[in-house]
Amino acid sequence: MSRMLHARLDVGALLSALAVLVRPGGRCLLVGNAGPGGVAAAVVKASRRYPPGAWRVVRQTACASGGIACEAVQLARLGEAAPRLGRLEKARGKVVLEPGFGLAAWLRLSRGADLTGGVGPLDEEEEEAWPKWSLADVASHTTPEDSWMAVRGKVYNVSPYLRYHPGGADTLLDAA
């Protein structure tokens, strides 16, 4: 006498758990019984809702296991793959910058552009053209949209640079 265990699979809970385990950009393969009421069909249906926008069906393939008709469903985890830092970068206090905001992008942006925001002249050699700012003036500019910083007696508008700073925007905002 054999006994069969029938368990109801909560596909939504399974996909929600997999969304935590599978990194964005990663893939997983689920195999279940085929047919309109099968596990594979439930996976495809649930992939649109659990969690919303997390999965995309890449491929569905019919297969057989032990004479039972099955279907393999390959899912891709949506979202942008997060860049990772190594041990050395973490130890140095570096932060992950948004894509497109590295040093090379900053150099392209700053080449020949006026990023002063009205704080000072474009050409640093024009010493007499730099306006005189008090520390109270500088201290009043501390928001991400309008951040000034005094360095060696000169005042700089650091707002355009916040997203490019290797230590993160918070580092500059704390000093501004």
Side-chain angles (χ1 to χ4, degrees):
M1 178 180 196
S2 67
R3 291 186 154 176
M4 292 183 70
L5 176 64
H6 293 279
R8 184 171 180 184
L9 178 64
D10 185 350
V11 178
L14 172 69
L15 291 178
S16 294
L18 281 174
V20 174
L21 298 173
V22 178
R23 288 190 181 120
R27 293 182 178 200
C28 67
L29 182 69
L30 301 170
V31 179
N33 55 328
V39 173
V43 166
V44 171
K45 183 177 178 183
S47 68
R48 298 181 198 110
R49 296 181 293 177
Y50 297 103
W55 298 104
R56 177 178 58 85
V57 176
V58 176
R59 182 178 314 149
Q60 291 179 255
T61 308
C63 57
S65 176
I68 300 172
C70 296
E71 192 169 0
V73 179
Q74 185 179 24
L75 298 173
R77 176 80 162 80
L78 298 178
E80 202 169 289
R84 297 173 63 185
L85 292 177
R87 280 184 288 157
L88 181 62
E89 288 87 2
K90 287 179 185 174
R92 292 178 59 203
K94 289 192 172 188
V95 297
V96 177
L97 298 176
E98 298 173 54
F101 287 92
L103 177 61
W106 170 253
L107 292 173
R108 276 191 307 274
L109 173 72
S110 62
R111 189 178 305 139
D114 180 9
L115 301 173
T116 63
V119 174
L122 247 179
D123 186 6
E124 290 187 25
E125 300 302 319
E126 299 175 25
E127 195 67 39
E128 67 279 350
W130 281 80
K132 302 295 181 201
W133 301 102
S134 70
L135 288 178
D137 290 331
V138 175
S140 67
H141 297 274
T142 57
T143 65
E145 298 80 27
D146 184 34
S147 297
W148 290 10
M149 183 179 288
V151 179
R152 295 187 189 114
K154 290 188 178 178
V155 176
Y156 297 91
N157 175 19
V158 295
S159 300
Y161 185 61
L162 290 177
R163 294 173 75 182
Y164 297 89
H165 190 268
D170 294 338
T171 304
L172 285 179
L173 288 174
D174 289 344

